[in-house]
Amino acid sequence: MKYPRSNGAFPRTLVLSSITLAILALSQQAAAQSGQMQRVEVTGSSIKRLAAEEALPVTTIKAEELEKQGLTTLADVMMALPQSVSLQPSNAGSGTNINLRGLGVNRTLVLLNGRRLANEAIADGYANLDTIPISALARVEILRDGASSIYGSDAIGGVVNFITKREVEGGSATVQYVQPERTGGGDEQRVNLTFGKGNLARDGWNIYGTADFHQRSRLLLSDRAGFIPDDAAMAAIGLPRSAASGGYATPANFTSSVNKSAANPYYASGCLPGASIQGAKNTCVLDDDVYGTALHANKQLSAYVKATKKINENNTVSLEYTRGEATIFATKNPTQATAVGSVKAILPSTSKWYPGGSGGVPAYPGLTNQPLTVTWAPADGGPAITRDRQLNQRLLLSADGLIGSWDYKAGLSYGLSQRRVYFQSGYYNGLGLLTGLANGTLNPFGLQDAAGSEYLQSISADGMMNRSAKSSYYGIDGTISRPLLALAGGDMALAIGADIHRDTNEDTKLPEGEAITYAKIVPGHGESARTITGLFAEIDAPVTKTLNLDAAVRVDHYSDVGSTVTPKISFRWQPTKAVLFRGSANTGFRAPTLFDRYGYRTAGANTTTSGRWDDPVLCPSKTPTMPGTGTAIAGFNAADVCNAKLNKMTGSNSALVPEKSKGGTLGVVFEPSSTATLAFDYWQVNMKNMLANLPETVYFTNYEQYKNLFVRNADGSLAYIDNRTMNLGGQIAAGVDVTASWDLPATRFGKFRIGLDGTYLTRFDNQLEKDGAWKSNVGEFGWASNGTTSSYPIISPRWKHNLRLSWTGGAWGAQLTNNFASKYRDANTAVTQEYYRDISSVSLWNLTASWSGIKQVKITAGVNNLFDKAPPVTNNTVYSNGYLSSAVNPTGRAYNVRVTYNFL
């Protein structure tokens, strides 16, 4: 295949590749101990072979390594992986996902024991990792190469295979606690129990189960005052928060026929402490320190049960049940009393809460009983909180073994993913708020009296479900493989396989939610299904003792978008014991997800923008990308069109077509001694007809080009911004993976080991429309979003690495881990040129130590974010809190204690 010219520091002709060095060393060591080499199946191939022969670039993370690095969740694992460009865990309702290479979560295939799970129910394009039981895992294998020819045509970015323990005998209990150094929220607790009985080798059967509970408390912005950006820090980068004015608050700001600019009767007295602070231009604004959330609260409860029966020496059958439940409590600013059709938030002069009236609200100069249009966010109910619950289950019956000279494996699986979203607290009926204002019951300028509180309770939406979705997966698969004929380097092997699965998706935004106008819920329903049938074959040919060739091809038929053929070839050449060369080339084909093509469709807005913006037409400014710098035109309320969250429409797009890709790797591995290895792997993926959302920055930065996406009503007001998924032009991503390990000679102080995994990005180019200009996004914010889960742009540092120094001595062990990302250019779209800036490199250190000096007990303690690195400040207004939680967890330095007791 052809590789476009690289614009990075590495030459295009560099022959680079990666091998899972730890796998080789461990496999060889195990074989030496057992006296024979065991044949295993490694992620990326359907042919069982010696592990030492594995040829594709696979990163393996063992369960004990998670503990050594101080990682408490799978979200932490994905954040630390250099090849991953994942977002901060569990801060969106979709939960934790993985985005290999920054190509999008929908292009990373997640497997559990080599088979698919039911997708997350709303987006229906990826698995939520929060529902996978971490306590059941033996290891995680990350194939950093496209695997469409083996697992399905959609595995463009790579494969993450979570592999559970084969068997467990006995039991264990683990308690873990993570406590931030600073007071406030963000603390974590974990408890898991595992118990198993039977031994496959001795008894011919085993059954085990594990249950895992994890929770994290909400972390408020005020809990990290001074650690995450405050007003002074934002002012220093050209985005002073004090510039905000006229928004929704308690006490409410108001306009009338005599004062077109917003004003507030309590501005002079400091607004309402604990709810609002003084803003600009005589107005009050909500206090971010009270309502702002750095990390949402979440809870996870997962379980895994596996029963395995050995039929005879070569054949086993297993039954697995997986159940994972994750709940996220997402917190927003208090409800806003927004207009409902032609009914607006009007406070008449007859209300006792009118300024200067009997309710005690201070009089305001110039008012002579004119009706007031108020921008009010009731503080009485506190922040608006949703409860987003996901439940993912899978039942799998599988068999594998040897019949004659054929290896085989087969499986029958059913998966169900359900997601329900509720108004937990703080949401109110929108028309009810307006009615309460009009009849004088509700006080928009302060907390309610007894009558007002009772009325608010009567229009509360607490506990109401507003959305229900489910996805299901029905699948059957089978693979057989065997040696064919002897070649100079060994036996040529053939694998043949087939699978058929049916995906269904149903998503309903309930009509009851429409009355809660602050939530911007428009009733909608989408229901769809597709059947995918796949046939594949793989041939592995050890042509000589030093050269191995592998070829695979897969044919997939989609019931709704047709058929595709995705071949893959690879080679492995080891001319000497110390040097190995390898390479691969593959193609991919990804159909639009069921949600993207057939999901709900609404006639108008169903959400709001993630960031605050000035409407380019209704609040024009000389610097339109700087929210708050525009001026509302006559007839429009500044609170609705300036520095505001504007109406946006998401949903399905029936015009979408599949995207296609070509990719490959080329590289070299050095093993100068049995204790040291060094590998380089050049990779590249080219896509066209890329399915993605445009980040908000793009269409506000280039309004003239994308003004067709701004749909307006007859009176010129903004109906919505069309932000549905669309087919963009293309994307090219390329880079170099670097892997190294070195076991230092043993000393009287113990054994030391150094390990490195890193990725150097040479290209990350986006093309926003077919045949359009290419834009490089290396080291800056990307021009395509993170997929259906978020409107946040991809951030692509030039270099990322995970560096580990470990030590063992007797009952003691320790590891120092460094996660590093190089500097990158800030968005620089919402500030003037004098404030253009770079975001400094980020270097995080974790330290853990373990002790197993007491029989059956292991204690691990450590410090996460050892040097208390703060999250980087950014001027990208999509990140409304002003910092990048995707780069550094805002928790700060935290202490981690884990105690495990093993039952006899």
Side-chain angles (χ1 to χ4, degrees), residues 548-564:
N548 196 96
L549 302 178
D550 189 278
V553 63
R554 182 183 180 95
V555 179
D556 282 305
H557 175 72
Y558 290 74
S559 59
D560 58 337
V561 295
S563 301
T564 182

Side-chain angles (χ1 to χ4, degrees), residues 67 95 103 124 154 158 164 187 255 258 307 388 485 553 616 620 738 746 886:
E67 181 181 337
L103 298 178
D124 191 50
D154 54 344
T164 60
D187 54 289
T255 57
V258 297
D388 199 326
L485 55 91
V553 63
V738 181
S886 56

Side-chain angles (χ1 to χ4, degrees), residues 488-521:
D491 290 336
M492 174 187 287
L494 167 70
I496 301 173
D499 64 69
I500 180 170
H501 67 266
R502 182 168 177 81
D503 296 323
T504 72
N505 180 249
E506 184 177 344
D507 185 10
T508 304
K509 288 189 171 184
L510 301 176
E512 294 88 342
E514 187 175 18
I516 316 304
T517 50
Y518 177 52
K520 296 287 185 184
I521 291 176

Side-chain angles (χ1 to χ4, degrees), residues 357-408:
S358 62
V361 178
Y364 194 83
L367 290 183
T368 55
N369 295 325
Q370 298 89 352
L372 306 183
T373 301
V374 295
T375 50
W376 177 43
D380 302 78
I385 302 174
T386 59
R387 174 165 55 95
D388 199 326
R389 176 182 177 268
Q390 288 194 54
L391 176 63
N392 192 301
Q393 301 178 81
R394 188 181 77 171
L395 186 65
L396 170 67
L397 177 64
S398 63
D400 67 273
L402 184 67
I403 298 179
S405 59
W406 289 92
D407 287 307
Y408 74 91

Side-chain angles (χ1 to χ4, degrees), residues 208-426:
Y208 79 92
T210 181
D212 191 292
F213 174 76
H214 173 267
Q215 68 177 5
R216 182 187 67 203
S217 65
R218 178 190 173 202
L219 180 68
L220 281 74
L221 294 179
S222 57
D223 292 337
R224 294 296 177 268
F227 183 69
I228 55 181
D230 54 17
D231 290 344
M234 295 305 295
I237 65 169
L239 293 174
R241 291 186 177 127
S242 58
S245 65
Y248 291 84
T250 295
N253 301 298
F254 70 87
T255 57
S256 72
S257 59
V258 297
N259 64 299
K260 299 295 185 181
S261 297
N264 199 294
Y266 284 97
Y267 175 80
S269 60
C271 301
L272 180 62
S276 60
I277 59 175
Q278 289 178 325
K281 303 177 183 178
N282 201 37
T283 63
C284 297
V285 296
L286 289 175
D287 188 349
D288 280 344
D289 285 343
V290 175
Y291 299 111
T293 300
L295 289 175
H296 296 310
N298 73 344
K299 292 184 178 180
Q300 301 167 14
L301 177 62
S302 56
Y304 177 80
V305 179
K306 181 177 183 179
T308 305
K309 172 65 177 174
K310 198 170 183 180
I311 305 302
N312 54 40
E313 190 62 30
N314 295 317
N315 299 277
T316 59
V317 61
S318 297
L319 182 66
E320 302 176 27
Y321 173 67
T322 307
R323 185 186 192 278
E325 181 178 343
T327 303
I328 299 172
F329 300 88
T331 306
K332 296 174 60 177
N333 286 339
T335 288
Q336 297 173 0
T338 58
V340 179
S342 61
V343 182
K344 297 184 179 180
I346 301 295
L347 185 74
S349 61
T350 55
S351 171
K352 69 177 182 179
W353 306 114
Y354 195 87
S358 62
V361 178
Y364 194 83
L367 290 183
T368 55
N369 295 325
Q370 298 89 352
L372 306 183
T373 301
V374 295
T375 50
W376 177 43
D380 302 78
I385 302 174
T386 59
R387 174 165 55 95
D388 199 326
R389 176 182 177 268
Q390 288 194 54
L391 176 63
N392 192 301
Q393 301 178 81
R394 188 181 77 171
L395 186 65
L396 170 67
L397 177 64
S398 63
D400 67 273
L402 184 67
I403 298 179
S405 59
W406 289 92
D407 287 307
Y408 74 91
K409 67 173 184 177
L412 180 65
S413 62
Y414 168 69
L416 177 64
S417 177
Q418 298 168 291
R419 183 171 171 186
R420 293 181 175 178
V421 186
Y422 302 83
F423 296 124
Q424 179 79 359
S425 63

Side-chain angles (χ1 to χ4, degrees), residues 68 747-754 804-816 848-850:
K68 290 179 181 178
T747 71
R748 61 188 181 91
F749 301 106
K751 297 180 179 179
F752 294 85
R753 188 181 194 200
I754 299 173
R804 306 168 301 279
L805 172 62
S806 58
W807 165 79
T808 57
W812 292 90
Q815 181 161 301
L816 181 65
T848 62
S850 62

Side-chain angles (χ1 to χ4, degrees), residues 866-888:
L866 184 63
F867 298 106
D868 203 28
K869 180 72 174 179
V873 180
T874 179
N875 58 34
N876 189 321
T877 55
V878 174
Y879 296 85
S880 56
N881 293 328
Y883 68 92
L884 294 171
S885 61
S886 56
V888 178

